[in-house]
Amino acid sequence: MTLSNPPIYGEGDATLQAVGGLTGLQNLVETFYRIMKNTPEFRPLFDMHPSDIELTIDKLVSFLSGWMGGEKLFSKKYGPISLPQAHAHLIVTQKEKAMWLNCMAAALDELGYSEELKAYLLPQLAFPAERIRQVSAAKHGESV
């Protein structure tokens, strides 16, 4: 009898499955924005978003679905995306980047995801967050 190896985050859709598929991802993103809205330390991030938070939630779910190895829903619904360019109108410094990642960590904690998943996911999310920060810095003259 051969024991199957557990899925490795980042391979195929293992990360998406680890968050509970699209249903779990939707719940994670809704929790993320609820925490962002209702937590004073994260509220400045929430206020940077358009008033139609449902569209914002759908866009993040759609993006993360493909980013986590699932169906590339964002391009199907909204066309091609460049995360840095999509956020270029915003001023994103180290402070906003850290707030975003800390808010996501809070959502992962609230939903009881494993430490292993959080240890994988948060550093991975830091890459696009850093790229957004770099493009913002270049456009708005902030220090890189």
Side-chain angles (χ1 to χ4, degrees):
M1 179 175 151
T2 305
L3 295 175
S4 64
N5 292 329
I8 299 171
Y9 302 129
E11 289 191 6
D13 70 347
T15 306
L16 180 61
Q17 294 311 311
V19 299
L22 277 177
T23 302
L25 180 58
Q26 180 77 31
N27 189 34
L28 174 60
V29 172
E30 288 175 0
T31 300
F32 170 71
Y33 281 109
R34 178 182 45 75
I35 291 170
M36 189 185 296
K37 179 180 180 182
N38 296 327
T39 306
E41 70 183 279
F42 302 134
R43 182 63 195 224
L45 281 182
F46 187 84
D47 292 340
M48 293 170 80
H49 289 83
S51 59
D52 185 355
I53 199 63
E54 294 305 316
L55 178 61
T56 299
I57 288 169
D58 188 63
K59 284 183 173 184
L60 185 56
V61 169
S62 297
F63 170 74
L64 288 176
S65 170
W67 187 81
M68 291 181 170
E71 189 175 1
K72 298 195 179 316
L73 298 174
F74 192 96
S75 61
K76 287 184 177 183
K77 291 182 177 185
Y78 303 107
I81 184 173
S82 165
L83 278 182
Q85 292 309 314
H87 295 83
H89 64 288
L90 301 171
I91 295 176
V92 178
T93 68
Q94 288 288 357
K95 180 182 176 185
E96 288 80 17
K97 174 187 161 188
M99 271 195 280
W100 195 97
L101 292 168
N102 290 337
C103 187
M104 183 57 75
L108 291 164
D109 285 342
E110 180 176 308
L111 295 171
Y113 286 105
S114 73
E115 291 302 318
E116 293 79 15
L117 177 61
K118 290 185 288 187
Y120 169 78
L121 193 55
L122 292 170
Q124 292 301 310
L125 287 168
F127 286 106
E130 175 59 16
R131 188 68 189 120
I132 290 166
R133 188 202 63 77
Q134 289 171 350
V135 168
S136 175
K139 181 171 182 173
H140 299 285
E142 302 293 319
S143 60
V144 178

